[in-house]
């Protein structure tokens, strides 16, 4: 079964049409990168998929369960509160600027939602959180507060926080673009290491070498449409004019 | 009258002043939060009514508001309230006035919170109530603490306005004693009392601010 299906998603902000009929799907364990120029609607697409933004029209389906569909009047209709809550527990999102809770320690940032949203057993939650911190290379930062961490460390905590809820699919919106180049590497390394957790990942990124290397599939977006999608080798050597002109700017990296 | 006798009377006034102060804070701090919710409500009628209430509370003298609360029941409804109503009217007047000021402070604090905090909470599955009370409010409290301190210090001094309703708090007592005894001491004592009270308020608020220093 498809983990996520987006069908004919349309979204505008006032007069500005940002997503023009976007459809895509994600399989279990699949890693999909979304690339494209600034303003092409990549963030908006992730925000519609994670229901931070209300789309105008279209369908959002997680594991066969409809979160939203187009009603008879042509406007998007969202599922009931309870259904949405359950659907929301299937995915996580890592933000560009982390959005950690500054008043919570690293440990509390990671464990609070599993404890008080999922209401899982305390001991298990803490054990898993410690394992995650270890995986992120942050085992000595349990009691630190976000302001005491570097950007790269904050982003790794944010990734751990998302993983602690055991999502089936994890979205990343430019997880490294708020970071210095030397911190970018450590975060990309961590994301890479998640590949063997068999969580599906959808990653919006400007790190072309990374996208090419890690993805099963690359989607190139421009002006609110998917211009091209396919295996990384195919997209990165595409002879489509728009794809080429976009990738040309990253030429030397590839 | 000996100085001791004067001080005993002043001490009684001090108790009443402290009562007005404590009741006002206990009522207006939570009430202000409710008012702030009303002010930010999606319902335009509620929002407008609350906005009007706030503007009246902030735009007219507290002294006048106290008189309206005290005399209102008689002039509006012909209700005769007993003399015990003086103190109640003071509590009510102060509480609804300060709730309006606190509401605006809460509102500015809530609106200054970055939207990313709400979005992160939503993605993590927190409900609306959890998001507000666990994620947003603690951070808002830290942000608004300096403005709240200002308001609390003003309240200490404002309690003297209860003399309008002849409530025997610190200031009325001191004034009456000074006039009857042609003696400055009661007024000086009252001044010292307000000053020390506010030193204490500043000290406590500073401790609270320090207590929240563990994060930024
Ligand atoms: N809340 C909003 N209100 C109005 N316009 C918006 C809003 N969010 C995004 N837009 C506009 O929608 C367009 C697409 O924005 P989006 O953030 O999805 O682009 P992006 O592909 O993520 O770009 P970048 O690579 O710079 O992050 C832009 O023109 C942007 O200005
Ligand atoms: Mg973006």
């Amino acid at each position: 079964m498809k983990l996520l299906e987006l069908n004919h998603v349309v979204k505008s902000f006032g007069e500005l049409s940002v997503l023009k009929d976007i459809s895509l799907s994600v399989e279990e364990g699949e890693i999909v990168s979304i690339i494209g120029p600034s303003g092409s609607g990549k963030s908006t697409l992730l925000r519609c998929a994670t229901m931070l933004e209300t789309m105008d029209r279209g369908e959002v389906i997680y594991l066969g369960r409809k979160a939203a569909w187009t009603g008879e009047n042509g406007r998007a209709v969202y599922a009931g509160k309870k259904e949405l809550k359950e659907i929301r527990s299937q995915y996580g999102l890592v933000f560009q600027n982390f959005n950690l809770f500054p008043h919570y320690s690293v440990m509390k940032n990671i464990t609070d939602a599993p404890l008080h949203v999922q209401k899982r057993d305390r001991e298990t939650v803490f054990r898993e959180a410690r394992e995650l911190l270890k995986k992120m290379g942050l085992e000595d930062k349990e009691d630190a507060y976000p302001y005491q961490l570097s950007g790269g460390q904050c982003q790794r905590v944010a990734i751990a926080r998302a993983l602690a809820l055991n999502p089936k699919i994890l979205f990343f919106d430019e997880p490294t673009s708020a970071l210095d180049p030397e911190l970018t590497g450590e975060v990309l390394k961590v994301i890479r290491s998640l590949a063997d957790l068999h969580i599906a990942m959808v990653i919006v990124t400007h790190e072309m070498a990374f996208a090419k290397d890690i993805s099963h599939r690359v989607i190139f977006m421009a002006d609110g449409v998917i211009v091209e999608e396919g295996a990384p080798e195919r997209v990165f050597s595409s002879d489509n004019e728009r794809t080429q002109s976009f990738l040309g700017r990253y030429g030397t990296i590839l | 009258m000996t100085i001791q006798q004067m001080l005993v009377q002043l001490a009684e006034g001090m108790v009443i002043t402290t009562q007005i102060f404590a009741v006002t804070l206990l009522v207006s701090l939570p009430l202000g939060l409710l008012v702030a919710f009303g002010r930010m409500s999606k319902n335009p009628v509620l929002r407008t009514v609350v906005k009007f209430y706030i503007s009246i509370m902030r735009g007219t003298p507290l002294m006048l508001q106290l008189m309206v609360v005290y005399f209102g029941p008689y002039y509006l409804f012909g209700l005769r309230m007993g003399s015990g109503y003086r103190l109640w009217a003071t509590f009510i007047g102060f509480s609804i006035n300060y709730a309006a000021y606190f509401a605006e402070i809460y509102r500015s604090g809530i609106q200054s919170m970055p939207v990313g905090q709400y979005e992160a909470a939503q993605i993590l599955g927190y409900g609306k109530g959890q998001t507000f009370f666990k994620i947003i409010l603690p951070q808002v409290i830290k942000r608004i603490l300096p403005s709240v301190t200002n308001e609390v210090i003003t309240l200490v001094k404002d309690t003297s306005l209860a003399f309008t309703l002849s409530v025997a708090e610190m200031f009325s007592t001191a004034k009456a004693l000074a006039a009857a005894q042609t003696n400055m001491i009661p007024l000086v004592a009252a001044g010292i009392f307000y000053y020390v009270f506010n030193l204490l308020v500043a000290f406590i608020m500073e401790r609270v601010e320090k207590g929240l220093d563990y994060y930024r």
Side-chain angles (χ1 to χ4, degrees):
Chain A
M1 195 196 316
K2 296 225 165 48
L3 214 47
L4 164 66
E5 258 182 275
L6 298 179
N7 294 321
H8 307 292
V9 173
V10 173
K11 171 76 188 173
S12 6
F13 292 107
E15 297 285 283
L16 181 71
S17 163
V18 177
L19 300 178
K20 306 163 184 165
D21 193 6
I22 298 248
S23 299
L24 70 86
S25 62
V26 179
E27 306 278 344
E28 221 147 308
E30 196 180 19
I31 302 177
V32 179
S33 293
I34 303 178
I35 59 172
S38 190
S40 53
K42 306 180 297 294
S43 296
T44 307
L45 180 61
L46 284 203
R47 293 172 59 81
C48 286
T50 52
M51 291 181 272
L52 287 179
E53 202 79 70
T54 318
M55 57 189 185
D56 300 339
R57 241 176 304 139
E59 239 178 4
V60 179
I61 307 171
Y62 282 92
L63 291 154
R65 293 168 77 167
K66 281 196 187 187
W69 56 92
T70 306
E72 290 191 349
N73 58 359
R75 306 289 302 175
V77 182
Y78 282 80
K81 213 169 152 186
K82 192 158 164 284
E83 176 76 358
L84 280 186
K85 193 174 153 80
E86 279 172 33
I87 292 174
R88 279 205 176 99
S89 70
Q90 308 290 339
Y91 60 81
L93 170 63
V94 173
F95 299 85
Q96 181 174 347
N97 53 353
F98 334 130
N99 290 331
L100 291 176
F101 302 132
H103 59 310
Y104 283 177
S105 69
V106 165
M107 199 55 168
K108 195 161 166 63
N109 261 285
I110 298 174
T111 54
D112 197 72
L115 288 174
H116 297 112
V117 174
Q118 294 184 330
K119 310 210 185 299
R120 282 163 52 206
D121 165 64
R122 207 173 167 80
E123 223 167 284
T124 326
V125 166
F126 272 80
R127 200 190 57 239
E128 287 180 9
R130 295 217 163 83
E131 281 165 18
L132 280 169
L133 280 174
K134 193 148 176 239
K135 200 169 169 59
M136 301 294 143
L138 293 169
E139 52 270 73
D140 54 336
K141 296 294 183 197
E142 250 183 53
D143 300 319
Y145 283 83
Y147 80 94
Q148 298 167 314
L149 304 178
S150 73
Q153 290 170 331
C154 282
Q155 192 58 297
R156 285 182 279 154
V157 173
I159 294 171
R161 178 175 74 172
L163 289 171
L165 290 166
N166 295 320
K168 292 213 163 53
I169 177 165
L170 193 49
F171 297 92
F172 295 81
D173 191 359
E174 302 196 28
T176 60
S177 50
L179 304 177
D180 297 338
E182 57 282 24
L183 301 180
T184 298
E186 67 188 38
V187 171
L188 293 183
K189 202 174 108 201
V190 159
I191 297 175
R192 234 181 221 121
S193 76
L194 304 182
D196 43 70
L197 293 179
H198 294 289
I199 298 173
M201 296 197 271
V202 178
I203 309 169
V204 171
T205 183
H206 289 286
E207 299 288 333
M208 293 304 147
F210 171 75
K212 187 175 183 182
D213 186 42
I214 191 178
S215 317
H216 301 123
R217 186 152 51 97
V218 174
I219 293 176
F220 172 58
M221 264 182 85
D223 295 326
V225 296
I226 293 180
V227 176
E228 211 172 350
E229 69 174 298
E233 312 79 59
R234 212 178 62 64
V235 173
F236 281 97
S237 60
S238 158
D239 44 18
N240 180 301
E241 204 176 306
R242 269 169 109 179
T243 315
Q244 270 189 353
S245 94
F246 171 72
L247 289 173
R249 280 179 259 152
Y250 295 88
T252 52
I253 306 172
L254 297 171
Chain B
M1 196 186 266
T2 64
I3 290 189
Q4 272 88 343
Q5 284 169 320
M6 283 197 258
L7 288 181
V8 168
Q9 282 201 28
L10 284 173
E12 283 164 12
M14 200 159 100
V15 170
I16 305 235
T17 293
T18 312
Q19 264 179 23
I20 298 171
F21 174 80
V23 169
T24 303
L25 280 190
L26 282 176
V27 176
S28 65
L29 279 171
L31 182 62
L33 191 56
L34 282 181
V35 175
F37 285 145
R39 177 70 182 75
M40 294 182 294
S41 161
K42 287 198 191 91
N43 181 328
V45 178
L46 179 61
R47 205 171 53 222
T48 313
V49 169
V50 171
K51 196 171 162 184
F52 182 64
Y53 152 70
I54 292 175
S55 79
I56 295 286
M57 288 296 137
R58 301 209 305 172
T60 62
L62 175 54
M63 202 187 281
L64 186 75
Q65 293 166 20
L66 289 172
M67 293 175 79
V68 169
V69 173
Y70 182 60
F71 295 113
Y74 179 73
Y75 286 114
L76 292 175
F77 310 110
L79 286 174
R80 285 192 182 283
M81 315 294 282
S83 68
Y85 181 59
R86 284 176 198 288
L87 194 57
W88 282 102
T90 310
F91 291 158
I92 295 170
F94 271 89
S95 296
I96 59 175
N97 176 278
Y98 271 78
Y101 281 94
F102 285 133
E104 286 299 274
I105 294 177
Y106 282 123
R107 181 169 73 98
S108 72
I110 291 171
Q111 291 180 339
S112 77
M113 284 298 293
V115 65
Q117 292 288 303
Y118 290 94
E119 294 185 342
Q122 182 181 331
I123 290 286
L124 293 170
Y126 290 99
K128 280 224 163 70
Q130 280 180 318
T131 302
F132 185 75
F133 287 106
K134 295 185 68 140
I135 311 297
I136 304 299
L137 189 59
Q139 298 183 58
V140 166
I141 289 174
K142 183 177 164 103
R143 284 171 189 228
I144 65 176
L145 220 46
S147 326
V148 171
T149 303
N150 278 338
E151 232 28 79
V152 175
I153 286 174
T154 308
L155 172 61
V156 171
K157 295 178 283 182
D158 271 359
T159 52
S160 60
L161 288 175
F163 92 93
T164 327
L165 304 187
S166 313
V167 171
E169 46 63 63
M170 188 71 186
F171 180 71
S172 326
T173 311
K175 198 168 141 257
L177 280 173
Q181 309 288 319
T182 53
N183 191 334
M184 277 289 286
I185 290 180
L187 290 177
V188 173
I192 292 174
F193 164 75
Y194 286 115
Y195 183 70
V196 171
F197 199 145
N198 267 330
L199 277 186
L200 199 67
V201 167
F203 174 75
I204 291 172
M205 294 307 276
E206 211 171 288
R207 290 295 289 268
V208 176
E209 272 181 53
K210 279 241 171 66
L212 293 177
D213 255 0
Y214 64 91
Y215 74 91
R216 261 176 241 153

